[in-house]
PDB file of all heavy atoms in Angstrom:
ATOM      1  N   ALA A 180      34.594  -1.745  -3.734  1.00 56.00           N
ATOM      2  CA  ALA A 180      33.544  -1.496  -4.721  1.00 56.00           C
ATOM      3  C   ALA A 180      33.011  -2.814  -5.271  1.00 56.00           C
ATOM      4  O   ALA A 180      31.814  -2.949  -5.539  1.00 56.00           O
ATOM      5  CB  ALA A 180      34.064  -0.611  -5.846  1.00 56.00           C
ATOM      6  N   ALA A 181      33.883  -3.789  -5.441  1.00 53.00           N
ATOM      7  CA  ALA A 181      33.467  -5.079  -5.990  1.00 53.00           C
ATOM      8  C   ALA A 181      32.622  -5.874  -5.001  1.00 53.00           C
ATOM      9  O   ALA A 181      31.788  -6.685  -5.391  1.00 53.00           O
ATOM     10  CB  ALA A 181      34.687  -5.887  -6.402  1.00 53.00           C
ATOM     11  N   THR A 182      32.800  -5.658  -3.710  1.00 55.00           N
ATOM     12  CA  THR A 182      32.037  -6.417  -2.721  1.00 55.00           C
ATOM     13  C   THR A 182      30.690  -5.776  -2.417  1.00 55.00           C
ATOM     14  O   THR A 182      29.850  -6.385  -1.770  1.00 55.00           O
ATOM     15  CB  THR A 182      32.825  -6.558  -1.402  1.00 55.00           C
ATOM     16  OG1 THR A 182      33.083  -5.255  -0.885  1.00 55.00           O
ATOM     17  CG2 THR A 182      34.102  -7.330  -1.605  1.00 55.00           C
ATOM     18  N   GLY A 183      30.442  -4.552  -2.890  1.00 52.00           N
ATOM     19  CA  GLY A 183      29.146  -3.902  -2.671  1.00 52.00           C
ATOM     20  C   GLY A 183      29.028  -3.404  -1.258  1.00 52.00           C
ATOM     21  O   GLY A 183      30.000  -3.096  -0.595  1.00 52.00           O
ATOM     22  N   CYS A 184      27.817  -3.330  -0.763  1.00 50.00           N
ATOM     23  CA  CYS A 184      27.584  -2.759   0.560  1.00 50.00           C
ATOM     24  C   CYS A 184      27.491  -3.815   1.642  1.00 50.00           C
ATOM     25  O   CYS A 184      27.102  -3.523   2.763  1.00 50.00           O
ATOM     26  CB  CYS A 184      26.307  -1.906   0.544  1.00 50.00           C
ATOM     27  SG  CYS A 184      24.842  -2.858   0.116  1.00 50.00           S
ATOM     28  N   GLY A 185      27.794  -5.046   1.318  1.00 52.00           N
ATOM     29  CA  GLY A 185      27.777  -6.084   2.334  1.00 52.00           C
ATOM     30  C   GLY A 185      26.457  -6.829   2.424  1.00 52.00           C
ATOM     31  O   GLY A 185      26.320  -7.748   3.220  1.00 52.00           O
ATOM     32  N   ILE A 186      25.468  -6.472   1.636  1.00 50.00           N
ATOM     33  CA  ILE A 186      24.189  -7.183   1.645  1.00 50.00           C
ATOM     34  C   ILE A 186      24.284  -8.320   0.645  1.00 50.00           C
ATOM     35  O   ILE A 186      24.582  -8.129  -0.523  1.00 50.00           O
ATOM     36  CB  ILE A 186      23.022  -6.242   1.263  1.00 50.00           C
ATOM     37  CG1 ILE A 186      22.924  -5.124   2.288  1.00 50.00           C
ATOM     38  CG2 ILE A 186      21.727  -7.017   1.144  1.00 50.00           C
ATOM     39  CD1 ILE A 186      21.895  -4.073   1.944  1.00 50.00           C
ATOM     40  N   ARG A 187      24.048  -9.487   1.133  1.00 53.00           N
ATOM     41  CA  ARG A 187      24.145 -10.664   0.284  1.00 53.00           C
ATOM     42  C   ARG A 187      22.844 -10.838  -0.506  1.00 53.00           C
ATOM     43  O   ARG A 187      21.768 -10.522  -0.020  1.00 53.00           O
ATOM     44  CB  ARG A 187      24.398 -11.895   1.137  1.00 53.00           C
ATOM     45  CG  ARG A 187      25.645 -11.762   1.998  1.00 53.00           C
ATOM     46  CD  ARG A 187      26.426 -13.054   1.964  1.00 53.00           C
ATOM     47  NE  ARG A 187      27.565 -12.983   2.837  1.00 53.00           N
ATOM     48  CZ  ARG A 187      28.781 -12.678   2.405  1.00 53.00           C
ATOM     49  NH1 ARG A 187      29.010 -12.431   1.154  1.00 53.00           N
ATOM     50  NH2 ARG A 187      29.781 -12.651   3.247  1.00 53.00           N
ATOM     51  N   PRO A 188      22.935 -11.319  -1.731  1.00 52.00           N
ATOM     52  CA  PRO A 188      21.723 -11.523  -2.526  1.00 52.00           C
ATOM     53  C   PRO A 188      20.841 -12.611  -1.923  1.00 52.00           C
ATOM     54  O   PRO A 188      21.320 -13.547  -1.296  1.00 52.00           O
ATOM     55  CB  PRO A 188      22.265 -11.943  -3.889  1.00 52.00           C
ATOM     56  CG  PRO A 188      23.643 -12.432  -3.655  1.00 52.00           C
ATOM     57  CD  PRO A 188      24.154 -11.736  -2.424  1.00 52.00           C
ATOM     58  N   THR A 189      19.548 -12.434  -2.112  1.00 54.00           N
ATOM     59  CA  THR A 189      18.581 -13.434  -1.643  1.00 54.00           C
ATOM     60  C   THR A 189      17.746 -13.879  -2.828  1.00 54.00           C
ATOM     61  O   THR A 189      17.763 -13.265  -3.885  1.00 54.00           O
ATOM     62  CB  THR A 189      17.636 -12.840  -0.580  1.00 54.00           C
ATOM     63  OG1 THR A 189      16.892 -11.785  -1.179  1.00 54.00           O
ATOM     64  CG2 THR A 189      18.390 -12.333   0.620  1.00 54.00           C
ATOM     65  N   GLY A 190      16.977 -14.903  -2.615  1.00 54.00           N
ATOM     66  CA  GLY A 190      16.045 -15.347  -3.645  1.00 54.00           C
ATOM     67  C   GLY A 190      14.830 -14.438  -3.654  1.00 54.00           C
ATOM     68  O   GLY A 190      14.759 -13.441  -2.942  1.00 54.00           O
ATOM     69  N   VAL A 191      13.866 -14.785  -4.460  1.00 52.00           N
ATOM     70  CA  VAL A 191      12.637 -14.014  -4.542  1.00 52.00           C
ATOM     71  C   VAL A 191      11.869 -14.171  -3.234  1.00 52.00           C
ATOM     72  O   VAL A 191      11.733 -15.269  -2.714  1.00 52.00           O
ATOM     73  CB  VAL A 191      11.771 -14.504  -5.729  1.00 52.00           C
ATOM     74  CG1 VAL A 191      10.444 -13.781  -5.770  1.00 52.00           C
ATOM     75  CG2 VAL A 191      12.522 -14.338  -7.028  1.00 52.00           C
ATOM     76  N   THR A 192      11.404 -13.049  -2.689  1.00 49.00           N
ATOM     77  CA  THR A 192      10.628 -13.101  -1.449  1.00 49.00           C
ATOM     78  C   THR A 192       9.197 -12.675  -1.723  1.00 49.00           C
ATOM     79  O   THR A 192       8.930 -11.894  -2.630  1.00 49.00           O
ATOM     80  CB  THR A 192      11.222 -12.171  -0.373  1.00 49.00           C
ATOM     81  OG1 THR A 192      11.249 -10.842  -0.874  1.00 49.00           O
ATOM     82  CG2 THR A 192      12.630 -12.598   0.008  1.00 49.00           C
ATOM     83  N   ASP A 193       8.277 -13.183  -0.933  1.00 49.00           N
ATOM     84  CA  ASP A 193       6.869 -12.856  -1.072  1.00 49.00           C
ATOM     85  C   ASP A 193       6.547 -11.652  -0.211  1.00 49.00           C
ATOM     86  O   ASP A 193       6.729 -11.681   0.999  1.00 49.00           O
ATOM     87  CB  ASP A 193       6.017 -14.042  -0.653  1.00 49.00           C
ATOM     88  CG  ASP A 193       4.526 -13.776  -0.782  1.00 49.00           C
ATOM     89  OD1 ASP A 193       4.150 -12.864  -1.539  1.00 49.00           O
ATOM     90  OD2 ASP A 193       3.743 -14.492  -0.135  1.00 49.00           O
ATOM     91  N   GLY A 194       6.083 -10.590  -0.837  1.00 47.00           N
ATOM     92  CA  GLY A 194       5.733  -9.375  -0.108  1.00 47.00           C
ATOM     93  C   GLY A 194       4.269  -9.331   0.286  1.00 47.00           C
ATOM     94  O   GLY A 194       3.785  -8.324   0.760  1.00 47.00           O
ATOM     95  N   GLY A 195       3.551 -10.429   0.061  1.00 42.00           N
ATOM     96  CA  GLY A 195       2.128 -10.444   0.385  1.00 42.00           C
ATOM     97  C   GLY A 195       1.307  -9.950  -0.790  1.00 42.00           C
ATOM     98  O   GLY A 195       1.816  -9.721  -1.885  1.00 42.00           O
ATOM     99  N   THR A 196       0.022  -9.778  -0.559  1.00 41.00           N
ATOM    100  CA  THR A 196      -0.851  -9.322  -1.634  1.00 41.00           C
ATOM    101  C   THR A 196      -0.672  -7.830  -1.855  1.00 41.00           C
ATOM    102  O   THR A 196      -0.451  -7.070  -0.915  1.00 41.00           O
ATOM    103  CB  THR A 196      -2.324  -9.617  -1.311  1.00 41.00           C
ATOM    104  OG1 THR A 196      -2.658  -8.962  -0.097  1.00 41.00           O
ATOM    105  CG2 THR A 196      -2.572 -11.104  -1.188  1.00 41.00           C
ATOM    106  N   ALA A 197      -0.776  -7.436  -3.085  1.00 41.00           N
ATOM    107  CA  ALA A 197      -0.643  -6.028  -3.431  1.00 41.00           C
ATOM    108  C   ALA A 197      -1.899  -5.281  -3.018  1.00 41.00           C
ATOM    109  O   ALA A 197      -3.000  -5.822  -3.072  1.00 41.00           O
ATOM    110  CB  ALA A 197      -0.426  -5.881  -4.929  1.00 41.00           C
ATOM    111  N   PRO A 198      -1.767  -4.033  -2.592  1.00 43.00           N
ATOM    112  CA  PRO A 198      -2.958  -3.258  -2.262  1.00 43.00           C
ATOM    113  C   PRO A 198      -3.809  -3.070  -3.505  1.00 43.00           C
ATOM    114  O   PRO A 198      -3.293  -2.811  -4.584  1.00 43.00           O
ATOM    115  CB  PRO A 198      -2.422  -1.926  -1.752  1.00 43.00           C
ATOM    116  CG  PRO A 198      -0.951  -1.963  -1.884  1.00 43.00           C
ATOM    117  CD  PRO A 198      -0.545  -3.296  -2.395  1.00 43.00           C
ATOM    118  N   SER A 199      -5.109  -3.187  -3.330  1.00 45.00           N
ATOM    119  CA  SER A 199      -6.000  -3.078  -4.486  1.00 45.00           C
ATOM    120  C   SER A 199      -6.437  -1.651  -4.725  1.00 45.00           C
ATOM    121  O   SER A 199      -6.928  -1.332  -5.782  1.00 45.00           O
ATOM    122  CB  SER A 199      -7.241  -3.953  -4.265  1.00 45.00           C
ATOM    123  OG  SER A 199      -7.998  -3.435  -3.190  1.00 45.00           O
ATOM    124  N   GLY A 200      -6.331  -0.771  -3.745  1.00 48.00           N
ATOM    125  CA  GLY A 200      -6.762   0.601  -3.904  1.00 48.00           C
ATOM    126  C   GLY A 200      -8.231   0.801  -3.572  1.00 48.00           C
ATOM    127  O   GLY A 200      -8.709   1.906  -3.512  1.00 48.00           O
ATOM    128  N   ILE A 201      -8.959  -0.274  -3.403  1.00 52.00           N
ATOM    129  CA  ILE A 201     -10.377  -0.170  -3.083  1.00 52.00           C
ATOM    130  C   ILE A 201     -10.569  -0.671  -1.662  1.00 52.00           C
ATOM    131  O   ILE A 201     -10.177  -1.775  -1.323  1.00 52.00           O
ATOM    132  CB  ILE A 201     -11.227  -1.004  -4.060  1.00 52.00           C
ATOM    133  CG1 ILE A 201     -11.013  -0.482  -5.476  1.00 52.00           C
ATOM    134  CG2 ILE A 201     -12.680  -0.968  -3.669  1.00 52.00           C
ATOM    135  CD1 ILE A 201     -11.657  -1.327  -6.534  1.00 52.00           C
ATOM    136  N   SER A 202     -11.165   0.164  -0.843  1.00 59.00           N
ATOM    137  CA  SER A 202     -11.354  -0.204   0.548  1.00 59.00           C
ATOM    138  C   SER A 202     -12.376  -1.328   0.665  1.00 59.00           C
ATOM    139  O   SER A 202     -13.181  -1.559  -0.223  1.00 59.00           O
ATOM    140  CB  SER A 202     -11.818   1.008   1.352  1.00 59.00           C
ATOM    141  OG  SER A 202     -13.066   1.450   0.858  1.00 59.00           O
ATOM    142  N   GLN A 203     -12.337  -2.007   1.760  1.00 72.00           N
ATOM    143  CA  GLN A 203     -13.271  -3.090   2.032  1.00 72.00           C
ATOM    144  C   GLN A 203     -14.426  -2.550   2.866  1.00 72.00           C
ATOM    145  O   GLN A 203     -14.273  -1.635   3.649  1.00 72.00           O
ATOM    146  CB  GLN A 203     -12.557  -4.215   2.801  1.00 72.00           C
ATOM    147  CG  GLN A 203     -11.378  -4.794   2.054  1.00 72.00           C
ATOM    148  CD  GLN A 203     -11.776  -5.451   0.749  1.00 72.00           C
ATOM    149  OE1 GLN A 203     -12.703  -6.240   0.713  1.00 72.00           O
ATOM    150  NE2 GLN A 203     -11.091  -5.103  -0.319  1.00 72.00           N
ATOM    151  N   GLY A 204     -15.586  -3.136   2.704  1.00 86.00           N
ATOM    152  CA  GLY A 204     -16.730  -2.761   3.523  1.00 86.00           C
ATOM    153  C   GLY A 204     -17.408  -1.491   3.062  1.00 86.00           C
ATOM    154  O   GLY A 204     -17.033  -0.844   2.085  1.00 86.00           O
ATOM    155  N   MET A 205     -18.443  -1.128   3.788  1.00 94.00           N
ATOM    156  CA  MET A 205     -19.271   0.021   3.435  1.00 94.00           C
ATOM    157  C   MET A 205     -18.573   1.334   3.749  1.00 94.00           C
ATOM    158  O   MET A 205     -17.869   1.454   4.737  1.00 94.00           O
ATOM    159  CB  MET A 205     -20.601  -0.080   4.195  1.00 94.00           C
ATOM    160  CG  MET A 205     -21.644   0.898   3.756  1.00 94.00           C
ATOM    161  SD  MET A 205     -22.045   0.711   2.020  1.00 94.00           S
ATOM    162  CE  MET A 205     -22.625   2.338   1.657  1.00 94.00           C
ATOM    163  N   ARG A 206     -18.760   2.299   2.881  1.00 95.00           N
ATOM    164  CA  ARG A 206     -18.305   3.671   3.083  1.00 95.00           C
ATOM    165  C   ARG A 206     -19.501   4.575   2.881  1.00 95.00           C
ATOM    166  O   ARG A 206     -20.295   4.372   1.977  1.00 95.00           O
ATOM    167  CB  ARG A 206     -17.201   4.053   2.095  1.00 95.00           C
ATOM    168  CG  ARG A 206     -15.899   3.320   2.365  1.00 95.00           C
ATOM    169  CD  ARG A 206     -14.790   3.787   1.452  1.00 95.00           C
ATOM    170  NE  ARG A 206     -14.306   5.132   1.723  1.00 95.00           N
ATOM    171  CZ  ARG A 206     -13.544   5.498   2.742  1.00 95.00           C
ATOM    172  NH1 ARG A 206     -13.195   4.606   3.630  1.00 95.00           N
ATOM    173  NH2 ARG A 206     -13.137   6.734   2.873  1.00 95.00           N
ATOM    174  N   VAL A 207     -19.604   5.585   3.716  1.00 96.00           N
ATOM    175  CA  VAL A 207     -20.659   6.581   3.612  1.00 96.00           C
ATOM    176  C   VAL A 207     -19.972   7.916   3.368  1.00 96.00           C
ATOM    177  O   VAL A 207     -18.940   8.214   3.977  1.00 96.00           O
ATOM    178  CB  VAL A 207     -21.504   6.626   4.906  1.00 96.00           C
ATOM    179  CG1 VAL A 207     -22.598   7.653   4.808  1.00 96.00           C
ATOM    180  CG2 VAL A 207     -22.088   5.251   5.201  1.00 96.00           C
ATOM    181  N   TYR A 208     -20.537   8.715   2.490  1.00 96.00           N
ATOM    182  CA  TYR A 208     -19.931   9.994   2.123  1.00 96.00           C
ATOM    183  C   TYR A 208     -20.723  11.143   2.741  1.00 96.00           C
ATOM    184  O   TYR A 208     -21.944  11.180   2.660  1.00 96.00           O
ATOM    185  CB  TYR A 208     -19.871  10.139   0.604  1.00 96.00           C
ATOM    186  CG  TYR A 208     -18.824   9.234   0.013  1.00 96.00           C
ATOM    187  CD1 TYR A 208     -19.085   7.875  -0.149  1.00 96.00           C
ATOM    188  CD2 TYR A 208     -17.572   9.711  -0.332  1.00 96.00           C
ATOM    189  CE1 TYR A 208     -18.116   7.025  -0.663  1.00 96.00           C
ATOM    190  CE2 TYR A 208     -16.601   8.876  -0.846  1.00 96.00           C
ATOM    191  CZ  TYR A 208     -16.878   7.535  -1.005  1.00 96.00           C
ATOM    192  OH  TYR A 208     -15.907   6.690  -1.500  1.00 96.00           O
ATOM    193  N   PHE A 209     -19.975  12.068   3.366  1.00 96.00           N
ATOM    194  CA  PHE A 209     -20.560  13.253   3.973  1.00 96.00           C
ATOM    195  C   PHE A 209     -19.880  14.497   3.401  1.00 96.00           C
ATOM    196  O   PHE A 209     -18.770  14.431   2.870  1.00 96.00           O
ATOM    197  CB  PHE A 209     -20.397  13.222   5.497  1.00 96.00           C
ATOM    198  CG  PHE A 209     -21.166  12.113   6.144  1.00 96.00           C
ATOM    199  CD1 PHE A 209     -20.519  11.055   6.737  1.00 96.00           C
ATOM    200  CD2 PHE A 209     -22.560  12.114   6.145  1.00 96.00           C
ATOM    201  CE1 PHE A 209     -21.232  10.018   7.329  1.00 96.00           C
ATOM    202  CE2 PHE A 209     -23.277  11.089   6.727  1.00 96.00           C
ATOM    203  CZ  PHE A 209     -22.614  10.039   7.313  1.00 96.00           C
ATOM    204  N   ALA A 210     -20.556  15.620   3.517  1.00 94.00           N
ATOM    205  CA  ALA A 210     -20.034  16.874   3.003  1.00 94.00           C
ATOM    206  C   ALA A 210     -18.909  17.387   3.900  1.00 94.00           C
ATOM    207  O   ALA A 210     -18.940  17.213   5.122  1.00 94.00           O
ATOM    208  CB  ALA A 210     -21.154  17.909   2.919  1.00 94.00           C
ATOM    209  N   SER A 211     -17.921  18.020   3.269  1.00 94.00           N
ATOM    210  CA  SER A 211     -16.823  18.660   4.000  1.00 94.00           C
ATOM    211  C   SER A 211     -16.459  19.942   3.259  1.00 94.00           C
ATOM    212  O   SER A 211     -16.993  20.220   2.191  1.00 94.00           O
ATOM    213  CB  SER A 211     -15.611  17.727   4.089  1.00 94.00           C
ATOM    214  OG  SER A 211     -14.919  17.682   2.861  1.00 94.00           O
ATOM    215  N   ASP A 212     -15.509  20.682   3.792  1.00 91.00           N
ATOM    216  CA  ASP A 212     -15.104  21.918   3.127  1.00 91.00           C
ATOM    217  C   ASP A 212     -14.359  21.666   1.822  1.00 91.00           C
ATOM    218  O   ASP A 212     -14.129  22.576   1.051  1.00 91.00           O
ATOM    219  CB  ASP A 212     -14.270  22.792   4.067  1.00 91.00           C
ATOM    220  CG  ASP A 212     -12.996  22.126   4.538  1.00 91.00           C
ATOM    221  OD1 ASP A 212     -12.833  20.904   4.324  1.00 91.00           O
ATOM    222  OD2 ASP A 212     -12.152  22.812   5.137  1.00 91.00           O
ATOM    223  N   ARG A 213     -14.008  20.412   1.545  1.00 89.00           N
ATOM    224  CA  ARG A 213     -13.303  20.064   0.305  1.00 89.00           C
ATOM    225  C   ARG A 213     -14.115  19.137  -0.593  1.00 89.00           C
ATOM    226  O   ARG A 213     -13.587  18.535  -1.494  1.00 89.00           O
ATOM    227  CB  ARG A 213     -11.972  19.415   0.639  1.00 89.00           C
ATOM    228  CG  ARG A 213     -11.040  20.380   1.374  1.00 89.00           C
ATOM    229  CD  ARG A 213      -9.668  19.854   1.480  1.00 89.00           C
ATOM    230  NE  ARG A 213      -9.219  19.445   0.153  1.00 89.00           N
ATOM    231  CZ  ARG A 213      -8.143  18.726  -0.069  1.00 89.00           C
ATOM    232  NH1 ARG A 213      -7.416  18.329   0.929  1.00 89.00           N
ATOM    233  NH2 ARG A 213      -7.805  18.380  -1.290  1.00 89.00           N
ATOM    234  N   GLY A 214     -15.403  18.994  -0.329  1.00 89.00           N
ATOM    235  CA  GLY A 214     -16.240  18.108  -1.125  1.00 89.00           C
ATOM    236  C   GLY A 214     -16.579  16.852  -0.349  1.00 89.00           C
ATOM    237  O   GLY A 214     -16.161  16.678   0.804  1.00 89.00           O
ATOM    238  N   PRO A 215     -17.345  15.953  -0.968  1.00 92.00           N
ATOM    239  CA  PRO A 215     -17.736  14.732  -0.258  1.00 92.00           C
ATOM    240  C   PRO A 215     -16.519  13.922   0.185  1.00 92.00           C
ATOM    241  O   PRO A 215     -15.547  13.791  -0.559  1.00 92.00           O
ATOM    242  CB  PRO A 215     -18.543  13.959  -1.305  1.00 92.00           C
ATOM    243  CG  PRO A 215     -18.985  14.986  -2.279  1.00 92.00           C
ATOM    244  CD  PRO A 215     -17.912  16.027  -2.304  1.00 92.00           C
TER     245      PRO A 215
END
């Protein structure tokens, strides 16, 4: 229990840029059975 699961601690790692939630480039909206 004191040794944990065998994974050794690491320093801070860079996961890259966070997703912004907004797509890039042009989007066009069309009608569907659930709305645009």
